[in-house]
Amino acid sequence: MFNLPDYPDVYTTRHITCVSCKEKFAITEGNQDGELKERKWRVLSHWASQISLRHEDNRQQRPVVPQPRQVPVLMENTTEPGFLSQPPVKFTPYDVHCPRCGADNRNWIALQNTRVKTILQIYKERFPQVFWAILIAGLFAVLAATTLAVPIHWLKVTAMVVFIPLSVWGLAVEHTSKWNELREGRHIARVKANAPDVERTLWIRGFAWVTLASFAVPLLFFSLLPRAALFALEVVEITPEEEVKEVSANVGELVNQNLDSTAANLESIANEMDELLSDMPTDASPQFEEEVATFSDKLSQIASAALRELNVVRQESAPLIEEQRTQELGRIETAREQALNEFTEGILGDFRFLLLWSILMGLPLFFSVFFIMRAIKEFVKKVDQQLPPPIFHSVAGMTRIVGWEAKQALEIEGTMHHIQWVNVERNAEGGINLTGLHRDPPNFDSQGRAVGETVRAQKHLVETDMWGRIIRATIHDTRVQRPAGGPEFVAPLPMFHDAPVAVRPPNR
């Protein structure tokens, strides 16, 4: 493995996206390591850093100039901006302008900076109507807690009490985060045909949330998933009946093996006793021989009786095992029914519970949709008065930006004063279509009069989206009508001479 050097010590930067034209640019830099008190930051310089690449004479390898932050510079001190020399810990309010469109983003930064306030403070300042929705959710949660007297299992009641305020809070968080989309959607609807209705989409999302929480959630968590889990357990695991049958078969087989072993042992003992008696001395007294014969007969009777008893036990063991198995299956079935009843009461929801859930969950969510939408619309109305409008609000502003970006995209030399923008119009995307002409000067006769009604020209066509981003830019060679006057030539004074007239562009 390589022993690589450490990373360089660099400042990290914070970026924002312009509220007007969606340009992303850095605003501050600082070192965020260590303790909070040791962290320092400062505003970025508005002087752009230049990066020299390998071959500046090659247009494909030209220097890259990052876009700086646009800071208004005082006319009397344009060489030494004050913020470059001040310590990072010193706080001085700054202007924050977009480097692309020049929009003032100070209020936008204030709206984005939510770290200094808690969530409750933010909602209290921006969406106070949300607290009415939370209050209604709390009242319905208390009402749901009283359903223990119906009676309903405490697990179901707990689920309702917890889920009612959480669902309302989730609806509020999900909808209030879309306030800027609603603000931009209203502006887009003014300039773009068939623009999506963001407000209608939010209403649909709100009532869809009501439907899901009131009907889909209880059906899923209290009906479908528990039944699917039971079905999976029955498929995967061995049923109690099969286990009992298997155990009883094993017990019967073990009993038979023990009985067979006992009978074999008795027969072996009897045979050994007979062999011992037969080995007795034959010259014993008649009385002893009689006692031995009597003992042998009794021993045979005992062995026969034992074998008969073993056969009786063998015959009676099967019914006993079957009876025990039947009793065990009955107890298992009873326990299973009891467990299923408890599971049904605790987890599975019947029609009464599903109806109660739909009412107690649907009503607060239904009313919350109206409170939350009203809060969003009022906040959008207030904040839209204090934020710059989107870039597509002004055709003139878009023309300036698009003209500059078209020069970069098409690599047009000079200041573009030689191009006359003859048409600008909004397109179906909400952007603009720019049409510019770069005309050649006309030909003149010996009298200094222009010859011909048309001149050669390059037609520049630029198409953008609503944020001023170039979608398509082309240059076509064509012939157009000779203008009454143009930036590329000066009409000479009529005079009589034989020498050709020199035509030169005006000094600008």
Short mmCIF file of all heavy atoms in Angstrom, two decimals, residues 23-63:
data_model
loop_
_atom_site.label_atom_id
_atom_site.label_comp_id
_atom_site.label_asym_id
_atom_site.label_seq_id
_atom_site.Cartn_x
_atom_site.Cartn_y
_atom_site.Cartn_z
N GLU A 23 -28.91 29.55 -10.02
CA GLU A 23 -27.46 29.45 -10.13
C GLU A 23 -26.89 29.09 -8.75
O GLU A 23 -27.24 29.70 -7.74
CB GLU A 23 -26.87 30.78 -10.61
CG GLU A 23 -25.36 30.80 -10.67
CD GLU A 23 -24.82 30.05 -11.88
OE1 GLU A 23 -25.63 29.57 -12.70
OE2 GLU A 23 -23.58 29.96 -12.00
N LYS A 24 -26.00 28.12 -8.72
CA LYS A 24 -25.40 27.70 -7.46
C LYS A 24 -24.03 28.35 -7.32
O LYS A 24 -23.19 28.24 -8.22
CB LYS A 24 -25.25 26.17 -7.44
CG LYS A 24 -24.83 25.62 -6.09
CD LYS A 24 -24.85 24.10 -6.10
CE LYS A 24 -24.49 23.54 -4.73
NZ LYS A 24 -24.52 22.06 -4.71
N PHE A 25 -23.81 29.02 -6.18
CA PHE A 25 -22.53 29.71 -5.98
C PHE A 25 -22.19 29.71 -4.50
O PHE A 25 -23.06 29.54 -3.63
CB PHE A 25 -22.59 31.14 -6.53
CG PHE A 25 -23.64 32.00 -5.89
CD1 PHE A 25 -23.32 32.87 -4.87
CD2 PHE A 25 -24.96 31.95 -6.33
CE1 PHE A 25 -24.29 33.67 -4.30
CE2 PHE A 25 -25.94 32.74 -5.76
CZ PHE A 25 -25.60 33.61 -4.73
N ALA A 26 -20.92 29.87 -4.20
CA ALA A 26 -20.42 29.87 -2.83
C ALA A 26 -20.56 31.25 -2.22
O ALA A 26 -20.41 32.27 -2.91
CB ALA A 26 -18.97 29.42 -2.79
N ILE A 27 -20.81 31.30 -0.92
CA ILE A 27 -20.99 32.58 -0.25
C ILE A 27 -20.00 32.77 0.91
O ILE A 27 -19.56 33.88 1.16
CB ILE A 27 -22.43 32.74 0.28
CG1 ILE A 27 -22.83 31.54 1.15
CG2 ILE A 27 -23.41 32.92 -0.86
CD1 ILE A 27 -24.18 31.69 1.81
N THR A 28 -19.66 31.70 1.63
CA THR A 28 -18.74 31.83 2.75
C THR A 28 -17.72 30.70 2.71
O THR A 28 -17.94 29.66 2.09
CB THR A 28 -19.48 31.79 4.10
OG1 THR A 28 -20.27 30.59 4.17
CG2 THR A 28 -20.36 33.00 4.28
N GLU A 29 -16.61 30.93 3.42
CA GLU A 29 -15.59 29.91 3.57
C GLU A 29 -15.11 29.94 5.01
O GLU A 29 -15.22 30.94 5.71
CB GLU A 29 -14.42 30.17 2.62
CG GLU A 29 -13.67 31.47 2.91
CD GLU A 29 -12.53 31.70 1.95
OE1 GLU A 29 -12.38 30.89 1.03
OE2 GLU A 29 -11.79 32.68 2.14
N GLY A 30 -14.60 28.80 5.46
CA GLY A 30 -14.13 28.75 6.83
C GLY A 30 -13.61 27.38 7.20
O GLY A 30 -13.71 26.43 6.43
N ASN A 31 -13.03 27.30 8.40
CA ASN A 31 -12.53 26.05 8.95
C ASN A 31 -13.51 25.60 10.02
O ASN A 31 -13.64 26.23 11.06
CB ASN A 31 -11.13 26.26 9.54
CG ASN A 31 -10.48 24.95 9.92
OD1 ASN A 31 -11.11 23.90 9.90
ND2 ASN A 31 -9.20 25.01 10.26
N GLN A 32 -14.16 24.46 9.78
CA GLN A 32 -15.20 23.99 10.68
C GLN A 32 -14.73 22.85 11.57
O GLN A 32 -15.54 22.14 12.15
CB GLN A 32 -16.42 23.53 9.87
CG GLN A 32 -17.03 24.63 9.02
CD GLN A 32 -17.48 25.82 9.85
OE1 GLN A 32 -18.15 25.66 10.86
NE2 GLN A 32 -17.09 27.01 9.44
N ASP A 33 -13.42 22.65 11.67
CA ASP A 33 -12.90 21.60 12.55
C ASP A 33 -12.75 22.13 13.97
O ASP A 33 -12.62 23.33 14.20
CB ASP A 33 -11.54 21.11 12.04
CG ASP A 33 -11.67 20.44 10.68
OD1 ASP A 33 -12.76 19.91 10.41
OD2 ASP A 33 -10.69 20.47 9.91
N GLY A 34 -12.71 21.19 14.91
CA GLY A 34 -12.48 21.56 16.30
C GLY A 34 -13.75 21.98 17.00
O GLY A 34 -14.87 21.70 16.57
N GLU A 35 -13.58 22.65 18.14
CA GLU A 35 -14.71 23.09 18.94
C GLU A 35 -15.48 24.22 18.24
O GLU A 35 -14.96 24.89 17.34
CB GLU A 35 -14.23 23.57 20.31
CG GLU A 35 -13.53 22.51 21.13
CD GLU A 35 -14.48 21.39 21.52
OE1 GLU A 35 -15.70 21.66 21.62
OE2 GLU A 35 -14.01 20.26 21.74
N LEU A 36 -16.71 24.41 18.70
CA LEU A 36 -17.56 25.43 18.09
C LEU A 36 -16.97 26.82 18.25
O LEU A 36 -17.07 27.65 17.34
CB LEU A 36 -18.96 25.35 18.71
CG LEU A 36 -20.00 26.32 18.14
CD1 LEU A 36 -20.22 26.04 16.66
CD2 LEU A 36 -21.31 26.21 18.90
N LYS A 37 -16.34 27.09 19.39
CA LYS A 37 -15.77 28.41 19.61
C LYS A 37 -14.56 28.67 18.72
O LYS A 37 -14.21 29.82 18.46
CB LYS A 37 -15.38 28.56 21.08
CG LYS A 37 -16.56 28.50 22.04
CD LYS A 37 -16.10 28.67 23.48
CE LYS A 37 -17.29 28.61 24.44
NZ LYS A 37 -16.85 28.77 25.85
N GLU A 38 -13.90 27.61 18.27
CA GLU A 38 -12.71 27.76 17.45
C GLU A 38 -13.02 27.88 15.96
O GLU A 38 -12.12 28.15 15.17
CB GLU A 38 -11.76 26.58 17.68
CG GLU A 38 -11.29 26.46 19.13
CD GLU A 38 -10.42 25.23 19.34
OE1 GLU A 38 -10.26 24.47 18.35
OE2 GLU A 38 -9.92 25.03 20.45
N ARG A 39 -14.24 27.63 15.58
CA ARG A 39 -14.59 27.67 14.16
C ARG A 39 -14.70 29.12 13.69
O ARG A 39 -15.29 29.96 14.35
CB ARG A 39 -15.92 26.94 13.93
CG ARG A 39 -15.85 25.47 14.31
CD ARG A 39 -17.20 24.80 14.12
NE ARG A 39 -17.14 23.41 14.53
CZ ARG A 39 -18.19 22.58 14.53
NH1 ARG A 39 -19.36 23.02 14.12
NH2 ARG A 39 -18.04 21.34 14.92
N LYS A 40 -14.11 29.38 12.53
CA LYS A 40 -14.10 30.72 11.98
C LYS A 40 -14.55 30.67 10.53
O LYS A 40 -14.38 29.69 9.84
CB LYS A 40 -12.70 31.33 12.07
CG LYS A 40 -12.18 31.48 13.51
CD LYS A 40 -10.79 32.05 13.53
CE LYS A 40 -10.26 32.18 14.96
NZ LYS A 40 -8.90 32.74 15.00
N TRP A 41 -15.11 31.78 10.08
CA TRP A 41 -15.58 31.86 8.70
C TRP A 41 -15.42 33.30 8.22
O TRP A 41 -15.25 34.23 9.02
CB TRP A 41 -17.04 31.43 8.58
CG TRP A 41 -17.99 32.33 9.33
CD1 TRP A 41 -18.38 32.20 10.62
CD2 TRP A 41 -18.64 33.51 8.82
NE1 TRP A 41 -19.23 33.21 10.97
CE2 TRP A 41 -19.41 34.02 9.87
CE3 TRP A 41 -18.65 34.15 7.60
CZ2 TRP A 41 -20.18 35.17 9.73
CZ3 TRP A 41 -19.41 35.29 7.44
CH2 TRP A 41 -20.17 35.78 8.50
N ARG A 42 -15.49 33.46 6.93
CA ARG A 42 -15.48 34.80 6.35
C ARG A 42 -16.19 34.73 5.00
O ARG A 42 -16.34 33.66 4.39
CB ARG A 42 -14.07 35.32 6.17
CG ARG A 42 -13.23 34.56 5.17
CD ARG A 42 -11.83 35.13 5.09
NE ARG A 42 -11.00 34.44 4.13
CZ ARG A 42 -9.72 34.66 3.94
NH1 ARG A 42 -9.12 35.59 4.67
NH2 ARG A 42 -9.04 33.98 3.03
N VAL A 43 -16.60 35.88 4.52
CA VAL A 43 -17.29 35.98 3.25
C VAL A 43 -16.28 35.82 2.12
O VAL A 43 -15.14 36.30 2.21
CB VAL A 43 -18.04 37.32 3.13
CG1 VAL A 43 -18.71 37.44 1.77
CG2 VAL A 43 -19.06 37.43 4.24
N LEU A 44 -16.68 35.12 1.08
CA LEU A 44 -15.79 34.93 -0.07
C LEU A 44 -15.52 36.26 -0.78
O LEU A 44 -16.37 37.15 -0.81
CB LEU A 44 -16.41 33.95 -1.06
CG LEU A 44 -16.38 32.47 -0.65
CD1 LEU A 44 -17.11 31.65 -1.69
CD2 LEU A 44 -14.96 31.99 -0.52
N SER A 45 -14.36 36.32 -1.38
CA SER A 45 -14.01 37.50 -2.16
C SER A 45 -14.83 37.55 -3.45
O SER A 45 -15.20 36.53 -4.01
CB SER A 45 -12.52 37.47 -2.51
OG SER A 45 -12.23 38.47 -3.46
N HIS A 46 -15.10 38.76 -3.92
CA HIS A 46 -15.78 38.91 -5.20
C HIS A 46 -14.78 38.97 -6.34
O HIS A 46 -15.17 39.12 -7.49
CB HIS A 46 -16.66 40.15 -5.20
CG HIS A 46 -15.89 41.44 -5.12
ND1 HIS A 46 -15.34 41.88 -3.95
CD2 HIS A 46 -15.56 42.35 -6.07
CE1 HIS A 46 -14.73 43.03 -4.15
NE2 HIS A 46 -14.83 43.34 -5.43
N TRP A 47 -13.48 38.84 -6.02
CA TRP A 47 -12.47 38.76 -7.06
C TRP A 47 -12.31 37.31 -7.47
O TRP A 47 -12.00 36.46 -6.65
CB TRP A 47 -11.13 39.32 -6.56
CG TRP A 47 -11.18 40.78 -6.27
CD1 TRP A 47 -11.48 41.37 -5.09
CD2 TRP A 47 -10.94 41.83 -7.20
NE1 TRP A 47 -11.45 42.72 -5.19
CE2 TRP A 47 -11.12 43.05 -6.49
CE3 TRP A 47 -10.60 41.88 -8.54
CZ2 TRP A 47 -10.94 44.29 -7.09
CZ3 TRP A 47 -10.42 43.11 -9.13
CH2 TRP A 47 -10.60 44.31 -8.41
N ALA A 48 -12.45 37.04 -8.73
CA ALA A 48 -12.41 35.66 -9.20
C ALA A 48 -10.98 35.16 -9.26
O ALA A 48 -10.06 35.88 -9.65
CB ALA A 48 -13.05 35.55 -10.58
N SER A 49 -10.78 33.90 -8.87
CA SER A 49 -9.47 33.25 -9.02
C SER A 49 -9.33 32.72 -10.44
O SER A 49 -10.26 32.11 -10.97
CB SER A 49 -9.35 32.10 -8.01
OG SER A 49 -9.48 32.57 -6.69
N GLN A 50 -8.18 32.96 -11.03
CA GLN A 50 -7.94 32.51 -12.41
C GLN A 50 -7.00 31.31 -12.38
O GLN A 50 -6.00 31.29 -11.66
CB GLN A 50 -7.33 33.62 -13.25
CG GLN A 50 -8.29 34.79 -13.48
CD GLN A 50 -7.73 35.80 -14.45
OE1 GLN A 50 -6.60 35.67 -14.91
NE2 GLN A 50 -8.52 36.80 -14.78
N ILE A 51 -7.35 30.33 -13.19
CA ILE A 51 -6.58 29.09 -13.29
C ILE A 51 -6.00 29.01 -14.69
O ILE A 51 -6.74 28.95 -15.67
CB ILE A 51 -7.47 27.87 -13.01
CG1 ILE A 51 -8.13 28.00 -11.64
CG2 ILE A 51 -6.65 26.59 -13.08
CD1 ILE A 51 -9.17 26.95 -11.37
N SER A 52 -4.68 29.05 -14.80
CA SER A 52 -4.03 28.97 -16.10
C SER A 52 -3.85 27.51 -16.49
O SER A 52 -3.23 26.74 -15.74
CB SER A 52 -2.67 29.68 -16.06
OG SER A 52 -2.84 31.04 -15.77
N LEU A 53 -4.37 27.14 -17.63
CA LEU A 53 -4.22 25.78 -18.12
C LEU A 53 -3.00 25.68 -19.03
O LEU A 53 -2.21 26.62 -19.15
CB LEU A 53 -5.50 25.35 -18.83
CG LEU A 53 -6.75 25.36 -17.95
CD1 LEU A 53 -7.95 24.87 -18.73
CD2 LEU A 53 -6.57 24.51 -16.72
N ARG A 54 -2.82 24.56 -19.71
CA ARG A 54 -1.58 24.28 -20.42
C ARG A 54 -1.34 25.25 -21.58
O ARG A 54 -0.27 25.82 -21.71
CB ARG A 54 -1.59 22.84 -20.93
CG ARG A 54 -1.53 21.81 -19.82
CD ARG A 54 -1.39 20.42 -20.39
NE ARG A 54 -1.33 19.41 -19.37
CZ ARG A 54 -2.38 18.78 -18.87
NH1 ARG A 54 -3.59 19.09 -19.32
NH2 ARG A 54 -2.25 17.87 -17.93
N HIS A 55 -2.33 25.39 -22.45
CA HIS A 55 -2.13 26.18 -23.67
C HIS A 55 -3.24 27.22 -23.76
O HIS A 55 -4.36 26.90 -24.14
CB HIS A 55 -2.15 25.29 -24.91
CG HIS A 55 -1.11 24.20 -24.87
ND1 HIS A 55 0.22 24.45 -25.04
CD2 HIS A 55 -1.24 22.87 -24.66
CE1 HIS A 55 0.90 23.32 -24.94
NE2 HIS A 55 0.04 22.34 -24.72
N GLU A 56 -2.93 28.43 -23.41
CA GLU A 56 -3.93 29.47 -23.46
C GLU A 56 -4.24 29.89 -24.89
O GLU A 56 -5.29 30.47 -25.14
CB GLU A 56 -3.48 30.68 -22.65
CG GLU A 56 -3.37 30.40 -21.16
CD GLU A 56 -3.05 31.64 -20.39
OE1 GLU A 56 -3.02 32.72 -21.02
OE2 GLU A 56 -2.83 31.57 -19.18
N ASP A 57 -3.31 29.67 -25.82
CA ASP A 57 -3.55 30.07 -27.19
C ASP A 57 -4.53 29.13 -27.88
O ASP A 57 -5.10 29.48 -28.93
CB ASP A 57 -2.24 30.12 -27.98
CG ASP A 57 -1.48 28.80 -27.88
OD1 ASP A 57 -1.84 27.98 -26.99
OD2 ASP A 57 -0.56 28.60 -28.68
N ASN A 58 -4.75 27.97 -27.34
CA ASN A 58 -5.72 27.03 -27.89
C ASN A 58 -7.08 27.32 -27.28
O ASN A 58 -7.23 27.34 -26.06
CB ASN A 58 -5.30 25.58 -27.60
CG ASN A 58 -6.20 24.57 -28.29
OD1 ASN A 58 -7.26 24.92 -28.82
ND2 ASN A 58 -5.79 23.33 -28.26
N ARG A 59 -8.05 27.55 -28.11
CA ARG A 59 -9.36 27.94 -27.57
C ARG A 59 -10.02 26.81 -26.79
O ARG A 59 -10.94 27.05 -26.02
CB ARG A 59 -10.28 28.39 -28.69
CG ARG A 59 -10.72 27.30 -29.65
CD ARG A 59 -11.69 27.87 -30.65
NE ARG A 59 -12.28 26.86 -31.49
CZ ARG A 59 -13.24 27.09 -32.38
NH1 ARG A 59 -13.69 28.31 -32.53
NH2 ARG A 59 -13.74 26.12 -33.11
N GLN A 60 -9.56 25.57 -27.03
CA GLN A 60 -10.09 24.47 -26.25
C GLN A 60 -9.41 24.37 -24.88
O GLN A 60 -9.83 23.58 -24.04
CB GLN A 60 -9.89 23.15 -27.01
CG GLN A 60 -10.57 23.12 -28.37
CD GLN A 60 -12.08 23.26 -28.25
OE1 GLN A 60 -12.66 22.86 -27.25
NE2 GLN A 60 -12.71 23.82 -29.26
N GLN A 61 -8.34 25.13 -24.65
CA GLN A 61 -7.60 25.08 -23.41
C GLN A 61 -7.49 26.48 -22.78
O GLN A 61 -6.46 26.84 -22.23
CB GLN A 61 -6.21 24.51 -23.65
CG GLN A 61 -6.20 23.10 -24.17
CD GLN A 61 -6.59 22.11 -23.09
OE1 GLN A 61 -6.45 22.41 -21.91
NE2 GLN A 61 -7.09 20.96 -23.48
N ARG A 62 -8.53 27.21 -22.88
CA ARG A 62 -8.50 28.56 -22.34
C ARG A 62 -8.63 28.55 -20.83
O ARG A 62 -9.15 27.60 -20.25
CB ARG A 62 -9.62 29.40 -22.96
CG ARG A 62 -9.34 29.75 -24.42
CD ARG A 62 -10.48 30.52 -25.04
NE ARG A 62 -10.18 30.87 -26.41
CZ ARG A 62 -11.03 31.46 -27.23
NH1 ARG A 62 -12.25 31.74 -26.81
NH2 ARG A 62 -10.69 31.74 -28.46
N PRO A 63 -8.17 29.63 -20.16
CA PRO A 63 -8.25 29.66 -18.70
C PRO A 63 -9.69 29.56 -18.22
O PRO A 63 -10.62 30.11 -18.83
CB PRO A 63 -7.64 31.02 -18.34
CG PRO A 63 -6.78 31.37 -19.51
CD PRO A 63 -7.47 30.79 -20.71
#
